[in-house]
Amino acid sequence: MSLVIDIADAIVTALKAEPLALDAVRAYRPEFELVELKTLRVSVVPRGIEITSLNRNVNQHDVSIDVGVQKKVDPDDTAALDALMAKVQQIADELRLRRLVLPENGSAVWVRTANEPVYSPDHLQSKQVFTSVLTLTFRVMR
């Protein structure tokens, strides 16, 4: 299978495991009806890959994966929004410094996490949906 898909699937597995125990799914089009967002949705979406040659036999593959966290909320409910921001931080903390085991007996090592912006003000205002996206980058040498 594709390296990008293997890493995305390994992230889904990590998100489903304790201590997070989230109902995460890998998706190509993480689009939901508002009624579906009454419960927390965590989507794992392949974003990109950058390959750099290290020598004739080894390449460095930096794979970026987006982890989207969405839930319909009352935009004036500060406590609910704070809890969702904390959940995003918990996901980032849990995946930081993580080594993902890949199906081909390899592994991917965490390189960085970006969360910019930390939530979408437009989604919150227009749809009353909290949306935050973490972009995780993992490195594989092969």
Side-chain angles (χ1 to χ4, degrees):
M1 188 162 308
S2 159
L3 177 62
V4 174
I5 299 306
D6 287 345
I7 291 174
D9 286 345
I11 290 171
V12 168
T13 299
L15 293 171
K16 287 183 173 187
E18 293 295 335
L20 294 172
L22 296 169
D23 187 19
V25 296
R26 180 170 57 86
Y28 284 98
R29 294 183 330 132
E31 298 173 4
F32 303 101
E33 297 294 326
L34 287 177
V35 70
E36 295 176 285
L37 293 172
K38 286 184 179 181
T39 59
L40 183 69
R41 297 288 179 176
V42 178
S43 305
V44 177
V45 180
R47 180 180 179 93
I49 185 168
E50 183 177 319
I51 303 170
T52 306
S53 176
L54 297 179
N55 61 45
R56 279 194 254 167
N57 299 318
V58 179
N59 292 317
Q60 174 180 296
H61 301 253
D62 286 351
V63 176
S64 297
I65 305 291
D66 284 341
V67 176
V69 177
Q70 294 182 290
K71 186 170 188 211
K72 185 161 175 45
V73 294
D74 174 353
D76 297 320
D77 186 348
T78 302
L81 293 168
D82 288 350
L84 288 165
M85 292 289 286
K87 181 59 71 180
V88 171
Q89 182 64 54
Q90 182 185 15
I91 292 168
D93 289 346
E94 190 62 33
L95 294 174
R96 187 176 63 81
L97 303 178
R98 176 72 67 113
R99 180 179 296 271
L100 302 172
V101 177
L102 303 177
E104 301 290 319
N105 296 323
S107 64
V109 178
W110 175 86
V111 175
R112 70 181 153 275
T113 300
N115 185 211
E116 200 172 314
V118 293
Y119 74 97
S120 170
D122 181 52
H123 282 193
L124 193 57
Q125 176 66 31
S126 65
K127 300 176 183 179
Q128 297 185 338
V129 172
F130 173 86
T131 300
S132 183
V133 178
L134 291 166
T135 300
L136 306 167
T137 302
F138 285 85
R139 181 169 291 157
V140 174
M141 306 299 218
R142 64 179 196 174

